[in-house]
Every structure is written in structure tokens, then in C-alpha cells.
Amino acid sequence: MIVIIFIFSILTPTFRTPANLASVGLSASVYVILAMGMSFVIISGGIDLSLGSIVGLAGAFCCILLKMQMPVWAAALGGMLMGMVCGAINGFMVTWMGLLPFIATLGGQWIFRGVLLVMSGGATVTVRSDITKQVLDDFIFLGSGRILGIPVPVYIFAVLGIALSFLLKHTTYGRSLYAIGSNPEAARMSGIHNNRIKFKTYVLAGTLAGLSGVLLAARMVSMTSGGGNGYEFEGIFATVVGGTSMSGGEGSVLGAICGAFVVAILRNGLNLNGINSFWQQVILGAIIVIAVYVDTLRTRKAK
């Protein structure tokens, strides 16, 4: 990340301006929160392909609640609760139904996207003309307002990052998560309730995806029927680039945050340099392949 920042700062002087850096932080916020939830799931040895759909569904649900004249805090809470319910459904399929995480969350991806399409009628859910000016201003402030020049979502993910780092590193739940990801059978024999821990992890990831959806909707003051499409891969990218092992049992919240910023900084720097969006996909895809390959080589050496 430091190398990328250094290169773009030399190539494009506008990259290092305070306004652009604040813009990077704002665009990264959704990916950061999503990546933190994804990191917990991958550390447990699982995967969640439905988080992008949860982002769109939670954001649209938040907008619908606002159109029903609910206050911003209640609508935001409703969006997060929607994400929590989706996470619980994923957790149920993975644990009590015994489905592979890939299959369970792929099914969840289609289910949640389908619910979003039904809920929105396949159209964009917008709130700008349906709520009072005060509510609109509060909603916009949540998504893109600034305090001391720093976007509000940056404060939100910073507080979340500290809390989730503590949860992962200094609690029984966090230690159990690492144990399950490293060796689920050994964890079970040591008295850890694997299914209970995994269920909580998918609920947590869904809730964080719900929050990402709320912030995205607040930034756009709407949510499209395709909102959040592909975001799960951005979350996986950020998590893997941030050092979380795809085989489970290794990773950190800080690494996920850094990985998400790598995505945001690359996109911003490439846009400033006029790189075609199609080539951006090629570059990001190559980086994640290299990151996974390096992780594979490191795992082999450790064994």
C-alpha cells in the first residue's frame, strides 16, 4: 500500500491533495466494513459470496423505511437488522444444514438479490423527493458528511476496526475462531462449539454488510436493484491482499482494512491517470492471483 501511494504521488500530484485523500477514504469505507466481516468468515475457514447482495438489500430496505417517514437512525438500524437476518440465514445453512459455505452463500446470494428485485420492482429505490429536507440532510450527512474534513464513514469504520480487533485478538470468541480455522476437529475436541461460533460469525458478517449497504445508500441517496453487485469479491480481494489466509486460521482486522485501502487507492490512482476501467479489472485480478499464490507458497514453506 505504501509503495502504491508513493508511485501515484509522484505520477499524479493531485493524488496527494487533502480533497482526494478524503475522497479515497470515503470510497474505501464501504469496502473496509465489508472486508472486516469477510475476514472473520475466512479466518473461520469459510467464505461468504452473498455479502454483495446483502449490501444492496440492506441499502434498499433502509431507503424504503425512510420513504415510510421513519427517522434516519431507525432506518439505518433496520438496514443493519436486515443484514443480520441474512447473515443468520447463511449461518443456519452452513451449520445446522451442513452445507458447504461456498454453496450455502452462493444460494444466499441469489435469494437475497431476488428479494431485492421483488422489493424494488427491479427499479432504483430513491428517497430524495419523499422525505423532509431535515431527514434528507441527516441521511446525506451519514453517507458523505464531514467532520474536521474527514468523512463520517471513516470515523465509523475506525471505531469498528478498533472494536473488532479487540474482539478477534482478546476474547474467547476470537481465539475460538482462529482455532476452528486452523483445525476444526482439534477445536471441537478441545470443547469449542464450532457451529455456534460459525453461526455468530456469519451473523456478524451479514450485519457489517448491512451497515455497508446503509452507508452506500446514504452516499447515493438511493439504491439500485444492482446495488452491491460484485462487492463480495472486493471483500475477498481486500481480505486476501491484507494477509488473511484462504485456508483459514490466520488474518487480522488491520490487514483487511489495509487490503480495502489498496483497492480504493488503486482505483483512484488509475482513474486519475486515465486508465480504462476494463484494464483496471485486469490489474486487480492479477494482483489477487499473485497475493493468493504468495500465500500458498508461504503456507507450503511453513509446513
Side-chain angles (χ1 to χ4, degrees), residues 237 284-294:
F237 179 100
L284 291 170
I287 290 174
I288 193 170
V289 169
I290 292 170
V292 173
Y293 179 65
V294 169

Side-chain angles (χ1 to χ4, degrees), residues 234 267 270 276-287:
E234 302 276 6
R267 287 196 184 281
L270 293 173
N276 186 290
S277 61
F278 301 142
W279 279 109
Q280 290 184 29
Q281 293 294 107
V282 173
I283 293 169
L284 291 170
I287 290 174

Side-chain angles (χ1 to χ4, degrees), residues 21-52:
L21 294 177
S23 177
V24 171
L26 181 60
S27 63
S29 57
V30 171
Y31 299 133
V32 168
I33 296 172
L34 192 73
M36 289 192 288
M38 184 70 80
S39 66
F40 273 68
V41 173
I42 294 179
I43 287 171
S44 73
I47 193 74
D48 194 335
L49 300 179
S50 70
L51 293 186

Side-chain angles (χ1 to χ4, degrees), residues 24-37 55 143 153-154 157 208-209 211-219 223 228 231 234-235 260 264:
V24 171
L26 181 60
S27 63
S29 57
V30 171
Y31 299 133
V32 168
I33 296 172
L34 192 73
M36 289 192 288
V55 167
V154 174
F157 80 64
L208 292 173
L211 176 58
S212 294
V214 169
L215 294 178
L216 182 61
R219 194 168 79 202
M223 181 57 70
Y231 277 37
E234 302 276 6

Side-chain angles (χ1 to χ4, degrees), residues 88-164:
I89 292 172
N90 283 334
F92 177 81
M93 290 190 291
V94 170
T95 56
W96 278 270
M97 290 181 68
L99 300 179
L100 291 173
F102 180 89
I103 299 300
T105 59
L106 182 61
Q109 179 190 82
W110 282 73
I111 292 170
F112 306 144
R113 182 65 62 183
V115 172
L116 169 58
L117 291 171
V118 171
M119 185 183 295
S120 66
T124 298
V125 182
T126 181
V127 299
R128 190 175 291 274
S129 60
D130 299 303
I131 56 179
T132 65
K133 184 178 184 304
Q134 183 59 54
V135 174
L136 178 62
D137 290 343
D138 291 342
F139 194 45
I140 292 174
F141 181 78
L142 175 64
S144 55
R146 302 195 179 192
I147 300 175
L148 300 177
I150 300 175
V152 170
V154 174
Y155 289 101
I156 294 174
F157 80 64
V159 172
L160 274 175
I162 294 171
L164 292 174

